[in-house]
Amino acid sequence: MKKIGFLSFGHWTPSPRSLVQSASDALLQSIELAVAAEEVGADGAYFRVHHFARQLASPFPLLSAIGARTSRIEIGTGVIDMRYENPLYMAETAGAADLIAGGRLQLGISRGSPEQVVKGYEYFGHHPAEGSTDADMAREHTAKLLDVLRGEGFAEPNPQPMFPNPPGLLRIEPHSPGLRERIWWGAGTRATAQWAGEQGMHLMSSTLLTEEAGVPFHQLQAEQIRLFKDAWNAAGHPHEPRVSVSRSIFPLVSSVDHQLFGRQAASTDQVGHLDDGLARFGKTYAAEPDKLIEDLAQDEAVAAADTLLLTVPNQLGVDYNAHILDSLLRYVAPGLGWR
């Protein structure tokens, strides 16, 4: 069995061709897509977080609403840019969302990626310390978040509080037991995957890696996964490591599918520039089910991961994206032993 979910960037645009015209549309349709995904048998609903963009930016109200409307699927992020986050407030809001969902939150975080504005985190009041970088700051915020999610008291109580306090130092509330063991790190390189394993965070790897080694994307990503698991095992963490990979996969089972994605059948890996360095982008899989089964069986990283997230074109609307998920689960997953 492999967990299969979707990853949505939540794009919205007032274009006549988009079924997602506004931020309200993006949020409400995200909830409906998660409900539909659970109904067709998918295992997860994940959302990308971008600031200063016509995309999803504030995940916890959305995840709380989804948690209240669903009962089984995992809900999560892929990923939250930790350069922008206040770790203590994030621990409160994440804890609340997890409790509403009954412990189904899988929280994906990272050091961040290129954003819409220059040094956007500074507008949120976050500035790297002198001599450090924004990536250093993201990891500092992450360390603080992981620490407070353990649920240990650290804050000195007021001797004359408004309400009675429990004995000892106080912790962040609400505290959701087990959430610390459900934090994922979005790693773009082999080195950051190793670091995530050392820290006891699960690995979330997307359709791009910010390094180039001259081998196919899926093989480079499979190596990243191996290094992550080796680092996890060497660190001796008590809980089991998990790995998710993202893929653009479109089973062509209708005339509409062929019209929209048939040209993607010839897709290949791409190498480009990102953050002043080379990056490798994974290809799109678009084919009839038998061909998809054959192609995906050769994807070493998909084979090594326990969770597969489909990057969905959310502007095509809830019904079509539910159709993509249903087609994969119905016509492709059984042929690969995933169902």
Side-chain angles (χ1 to χ4, degrees):
M1 293 288 289
K2 191 181 295 291
K3 290 184 181 294
I4 300 172
F6 71 83
L7 172 62
S8 173
F9 281 53
H11 294 285
W12 62 271
T13 177
S15 164
R17 295 186 177 184
S18 173
L19 296 180
V20 188
Q21 296 277 311
S22 66
S24 176
D25 288 343
L27 290 162
L28 294 174
Q29 290 188 30
S30 293
I31 298 170
E32 295 305 320
L33 180 56
V35 172
E38 183 169 85
E39 290 175 348
V40 301
D43 304 299
Y46 288 74
F47 301 91
R48 184 70 167 92
V49 178
H50 276 292
H51 302 287
F52 299 105
R54 290 178 173 179
Q55 298 177 36
L56 300 172
S58 180
F60 295 112
L62 173 63
L63 294 172
S64 296
I66 292 172
R69 289 282 306 277
T70 58
S71 61
R72 180 186 57 79
I73 60 170
E74 297 178 340
I75 59 175
T77 51
V79 286
I80 297 174
D81 187 334
M82 290 303 293
R83 296 175 297 179
Y84 286 77
E85 295 299 318
N86 177 315
L88 271 63
Y89 184 65
M90 184 179 181
E92 289 182 343
T93 52
D98 193 40
L99 290 169
I100 290 170
R104 290 182 283 129
L105 180 61
Q106 304 288 336
L107 191 58
I109 61 177
S110 82
R111 65 162 287 267
S113 59
E115 289 288 302
Q116 297 299 104
V117 299
V118 176
K119 297 182 179 179
Y121 44 84
E122 293 189 353
Y123 293 99
F124 280 57
H126 302 297
H127 302 265
E130 185 175 353
S132 66
T133 67
D134 60 324
D136 295 331
M137 180 176 67
R139 288 181 172 84
E140 291 168 5
H141 289 178
T142 298
K144 186 64 176 178
L145 174 69
L146 296 178
D147 185 45
V148 299
L149 284 179
R150 292 185 174 90
E152 298 174 359
F154 62 92
E156 182 180 354
N158 188 334
Q160 297 179 318
M162 182 178 296
F163 306 104
N165 281 323
L169 299 176
L170 302 183
R171 67 185 184 185
I172 288 291
E173 299 287 358
H175 171 67
S176 186
L179 180 56
R180 168 60 183 87
E181 282 70 47
R182 285 178 273 118
I183 306 299
W184 302 62
W185 185 258
T189 67
R190 289 164 290 183
T192 53
Q194 285 182 292
W195 178 81
E198 293 166 358
Q199 303 303 311
M201 292 184 285
H202 305 295
L203 175 63
M204 187 170 280
S205 192
S206 73
T207 53
L208 72 89
L209 293 171
T210 55
E211 59 182 344
E212 164 59 12
V215 299
F217 175 84
H218 71 98
Q219 291 181 354
L220 181 59
Q221 193 174 47
E223 182 183 355
Q224 182 194 43
I225 294 170
R226 287 193 296 272
L227 293 170
F228 160 76
K229 290 182 176 179
D230 288 345
W232 182 289
N233 292 332
H237 301 299
H239 52 302
E240 289 297 314
R242 289 186 59 185
V243 175
S244 75
V245 296
S246 301
R247 291 291 185 271
S248 297
I249 304 174
F250 300 102
L252 305 181
V253 299
S254 71
S255 59
V256 174
D257 297 333
H258 280 275
Q259 179 183 358
L260 290 173
F261 298 105
R263 294 181 180 179
Q264 296 293 323
S267 174
T268 60
D269 290 355
Q270 298 181 47
V271 176
H273 289 271
L274 187 68
D275 277 345
D276 299 320
L278 288 176
R280 181 168 282 267
F281 300 80
K283 68 179 183 179
T284 294
Y285 289 92
E288 294 181 350
D290 287 347
K291 184 66 166 65
L292 277 183
I293 291 170
E294 178 184 338
D295 291 345
L296 288 168
Q298 305 302 315
D299 191 313
E300 296 178 17
V302 169
D306 61 83
T307 301
L308 173 64
L309 300 181
L310 303 188
T311 57
V312 294
N314 74 287
Q315 290 187 76
L316 293 179
V318 173
D319 290 344
Y320 188 75
N321 282 285
H323 161 73
I324 294 172
L325 287 166
D326 183 61
S327 296
L328 181 80
L329 292 165
R330 186 188 302 267
Y331 304 115
V332 179
L336 288 161
W338 300 346
R339 284 294 186 272

